[in-house]
Amino acid sequence: MKKLLFQIDTDAIPAVFDTVVAYDGGADHVTTYGGITPDNVGAIVDGAIFTRAPKEKKFTALFVGGSNMVAGELLLKAVRKKFFSNFRVSVMLDSNGSNTTAAAGVACLLKSAGGDLSGKRAVILAGTGPVGQRAAVMLAKSGASVTITSRSLESAQKTCDHLKASFGVDIAAVAAPDLDSRAQACVGAHVVFASGAASTVLLREADWKSNPTIQYMADANATPPLGIEGVDMMDRGIERDGKVCWGAIGFGALKLAVHRACIAQLFEAPDQVLDAEEVFAKAKSMT
Ligand SMILES: NC(=O)c1ccc[n+]([C@@H]2O[C@H](COP(=O)([O-])OP(=O)(O)OC[C@H]3O[C@@H](n4cnc5c(N)ncnc54)[C@H](OP(=O)(O)O)[C@@H]3O)[C@@H](O)[C@H]2O)c1
């Protein structure tokens, strides 16, 4: 029985990255669809759930991608709404690499901290994007008290409200529109996770070096200039001025491995939903 993955993307052009990883993760055939919304996904889900016998349904799976996190979440919800009884297949959500990237970055930070972040204060710089949102959930579920920054308080608060409604986590919102205010937002923080748009400097080297409380830092941005000045994209938990640093490529190998492993897991049973918590569990088991 061939392992078939249907990649449904909320963007007009399905992500090639996700297609490549789907094959590398063990799919025998990947079919990509772009511009998928809750309104037009029905026939795709029907085709996936009605075609194979119950014990063979695990060889069909769905992958939800695209650059818009909220659109991805709504699409996942619409997909799940079509499932009933044992007419279902496994599905994974990873809009813009959100879950796999955040899971790998946070799992690396957690490992550096000896597996326990309880009592730590974590700041996610530019945490309103897909990666930052998922990192916020994973850090909070790891026991940290989490703050996200945004250039606008309204945007940060909206994200926090959304995360509370979706995952039940309490995240604090802070407006930090420039380098000075972001340095200020890190005062008292033990963990800093930078998840800003590519090529956006979020924190100056002098600011984290002079911050006495920061212990662990990770930067998801792999496109220079990097998000945390003075952290190299290849850093793999190395110490710089007393802070343990993870760069985007440094934890990127784990991100890819987690993504592939999740694809493989989709074909193990027909009833899995791989979202933030499941992908994070996978990353932790792989560090
Ligand atoms: N390492 C990996 O394997 C991997 C995988 C996927 C993605 N990534 C990287 O992870 C990072 C986060 O990805 P994403 O998709 O979540 O990012 P994103 O949505 O493109 O951007 C995240 C946030 O950055 C803020 N931002 C945008 N321009 C800014 C500016 N000029 N100054 C300050 N803040 C700015 C915005 O927040 P506000 O508007 O609220 O301020 C935005 O919500 C990106 O750098 C991406 O390339 C890495």
Side-chain angles (χ1 to χ4, degrees), residues 56-210:
E56 292 164 348
K57 285 195 199 300
K58 68 178 183 181
F59 298 115
T60 304
L62 297 164
F63 178 94
V64 177
S67 59
N68 186 319
M69 186 84 247
V70 174
E73 286 170 351
L74 291 172
L75 187 54
L76 175 64
K77 204 169 163 190
V79 166
R80 295 182 72 185
K81 211 169 153 199
K82 295 281 294 176
F83 296 162
F84 65 97
S85 179
N86 63 353
F87 289 90
R88 53 178 304 148
V89 297
S90 287
V91 56
M92 173 177 178
L93 170 67
D94 202 26
S95 298
N96 238 20
S98 53
N99 281 325
T100 48
T101 305
V106 176
C108 287
L109 289 169
L110 193 57
K111 185 185 172 199
S112 296
D116 187 15
L117 286 174
S118 48
K120 301 285 185 196
R121 286 196 54 211
V123 173
I124 305 188
L125 298 171
T128 50
V131 174
Q133 287 184 37
R134 286 328 211 225
V137 173
M138 293 166 193
L139 283 165
K141 298 264 179 193
S142 303
S145 101
V146 183
T147 297
I148 63 163
T149 78
S150 162
R151 288 167 297 176
S152 117
L153 183 58
E154 193 191 348
S155 171
Q157 192 55 58
K158 199 171 147 198
T159 300
C160 293
D161 294 345
H162 178 66
L163 295 178
K164 174 76 176 170
S166 302
F167 295 97
V169 290
D170 289 302
I171 312 285
V174 164
D178 52 31
L179 290 164
D180 286 339
S181 52
R182 286 191 289 269
Q184 185 60 35
C186 293
V187 170
H190 306 103
V191 179
V192 175
F193 189 103
S195 55
S199 308
T200 305
V201 180
L202 298 173
L203 191 62
R204 284 178 296 233
E205 187 169 357
D207 290 329
W208 61 260
K209 280 190 172 171
S210 62

